[in-house]
Amino acid sequence: MAVIAEPVAKPVSRFHFILDRRGVFEAILVAPAIIYVLLLVGLPLLLAVYYSLSAYTIYNPTWKFVGLANFEQILQDPTFFDTLRNTFVFTFGSQLLGLVLGKFGAFLLLRPFPGRKIVRALIILPFAVPVALATIAWQWMFDSLYSVINWTLIAAGILTREDAPNWLGNPYLAMLCIVVINAWRFFPFAIVIFLAGITAVPQDVIDAATVDGAGFWRRNYQIILPMILPIVAIGLIFGIVFTFTDLSIVFLLTMGGPGGATSVLGFAGFQTGIVSGDVAHGAAISLFMLPVLLVVVIFMLRFIRRREI
């Protein structure tokens, strides 16, 4: 009579035993993301704090602790508050204009018309075109001699050649130009946000409001907009953070001019820390953006949480 041998259980390795623990396995999965954030966000932040507390320059690259002296000197500089004000105007002006354009663009794209798919594809172009290329194109449009905007206004009889505005030479018009360009770059993103939010609103809610007598404006501003407001707030957080720290449009279009009228914190930090070589003061200027953005993000996240999204 043949005897069948019982299968011998293989010994479980210590490695598999560790991975069976849920907490350890989750930590291993999350670890690459944590390392990524620490290297790309945490390390530059620590370096900025390190340099801002010193007298480090590229001409004297020896680290000497000076405490908060760099921050005190920056706060005593009257041009810093002008730069801070410009940053707020640039950020919130362009975001507000981008949201308005995005909302109307989303409503237009929701309506059927010939070529709507082509328009939907083309509307993304401002978001996809490299900022350097787009800004150079806008620079020609705002040029004091060859501006197509001035040419159109003069040809339409609205302005004369003598009254044509110098878009980039006037402080207020230069600020308006960088706000318009940034809003032009942001509004396709706003359209996507509004389209995603509006299409997520249940159709029966809109139908019920229509039956109750709600017109177009009442449906959109008393029903749809409050329902999609948390989604818009999330998109607005990204827009504010990226715009508040951006220097590309100012650097390419106005170089902070005329007379510092369009200088923003990112541009001022770059000019001081990299171009002028005063790394300590450049890092200190850049760090002023951190508490402002922290307050804005916490406020908007608390708002989203209250909306129970």
Side-chain angles (χ1 to χ4, degrees), residues 75-242:
L75 289 175
Q76 292 172 359
D77 184 2
T79 60
F80 171 75
F81 292 99
D82 294 336
T83 303
L84 188 63
R85 182 200 60 202
N86 293 340
T87 309
F88 277 98
V89 173
F90 173 59
T91 302
F92 291 99
S94 60
Q95 295 303 302
L96 180 62
L97 182 59
L99 285 177
V100 172
L101 294 175
K103 192 168 192 308
F104 282 102
F107 281 133
L108 290 176
L109 291 178
L110 283 173
R111 294 180 174 277
F113 60 87
R116 187 175 66 166
K117 292 183 179 179
I118 298 176
V119 174
R120 279 189 173 185
L122 293 176
I123 212 76
I124 304 297
L125 277 180
F127 199 64
V129 173
V131 61
L133 187 62
T135 306
I136 290 173
W138 278 99
Q139 192 175 32
W140 277 100
M141 295 175 67
F142 291 129
D143 187 85
S144 58
L145 295 177
Y146 308 107
S147 170
V148 67
I149 301 173
N150 287 353
W151 182 88
T152 304
L153 294 175
I154 293 171
I158 300 175
L159 292 176
T160 62
R161 172 64 66 183
E162 292 74 19
D163 297 331
N166 185 0
W167 295 100
L168 301 179
N170 182 289
Y172 300 106
L173 292 180
M175 175 58 73
L176 177 64
C177 291
I178 62 172
V179 168
V180 168
I181 295 175
N182 198 61
W184 174 79
R185 292 187 60 217
F186 173 71
F187 94 94
F189 182 57
I191 286 179
V192 173
I193 293 172
F194 278 113
L195 282 176
I198 293 171
T199 53
V201 176
Q203 186 60 38
D204 54 346
V205 174
I206 300 175
D207 294 340
T210 305
V211 171
D212 290 340
F216 173 80
W217 296 105
R218 194 173 178 186
R219 286 200 306 271
N220 285 290
Y221 289 97
Q222 293 187 356
I223 298 173
I224 295 177
L225 187 59
M227 294 181 72
I228 68 173
L229 208 51
I231 301 175
V232 176
I234 292 174
L236 198 56
I237 289 176
F238 283 98
I240 290 174
V241 171
F242 285 117

Side-chain angles (χ1 to χ4, degrees), residues 10-24:
K10 294 183 179 179
V12 179
S13 68
R14 180 173 296 179
F15 179 73
H16 286 88
F17 178 72
I18 293 175
L19 289 181
D20 286 341
R21 297 182 179 179
R22 182 173 179 177
V24 175

